[in-house]
Amino acid sequence: ILEIDWQGAAQIRSALPECVSIFILPPSRPELERRLRGRGTDAEAVIQRRLRDAAADMAHWREFDHVVVNDDFGEALAQLQDVVAGRGAATRRDRPGLAELAAGLTG
């Protein structure tokens, strides 16, 4: 299991096309901002840069096999465990409603 950004994932998929990839999305932009601010570790300029970069990064969700929306940590963890165990049908990138959610995050 590798925790890498979308560029690194693209390199892995190129070298190992049989790999299974998972993209994790926040439930909304306001929640992403709340989480970044709640950490209390970054300066305002860093938070603003991370929010700007996040939209561009999240636009790559379609490149992954599975997408987990981290709205509830326990549920997100269960979904990740399902994918690892080969039971990830509920997190497939082509599931209904995901494109609309992602459009709201990246648009």
Side-chain angles (χ1 to χ4, degrees):
I1 296 176
L2 302 173
E3 181 183 349
I4 52 180
D5 62 17
W6 65 267
Q7 294 106 329
Q11 291 176 350
I12 296 297
R13 282 192 305 275
S14 178
L16 298 166
E18 70 279 5
C19 75
V20 175
S21 57
I22 306 166
F23 197 94
I24 300 175
L25 286 174
S28 68
R29 281 182 164 193
E31 179 60 15
L32 174 60
E33 183 172 355
R34 187 193 71 72
R35 290 174 183 180
L36 288 173
R37 292 186 185 286
R39 293 177 184 168
T41 58
D42 294 325
E44 181 63 24
V46 172
I47 291 171
Q48 291 302 319
R49 178 189 51 78
R50 291 188 70 183
L51 289 169
R52 267 192 321 275
D53 292 349
D57 291 343
M58 289 185 290
H60 292 273
W61 68 271
R62 280 189 168 93
E63 299 166 18
F64 291 73
D65 301 312
H66 299 272
V67 179
V68 170
V69 178
N70 185 11
D71 192 9
D72 172 85
F73 180 76
E75 178 63 25
L77 179 58
Q79 290 177 354
L80 289 170
Q81 291 170 328
D82 284 347
V83 172
V84 171
R87 301 182 307 263
T91 59
R92 290 184 47 86
R93 71 170 176 245
D94 59 354
R95 70 183 182 269
L98 183 59
E100 292 79 13
L101 172 72
L105 290 167
T106 61

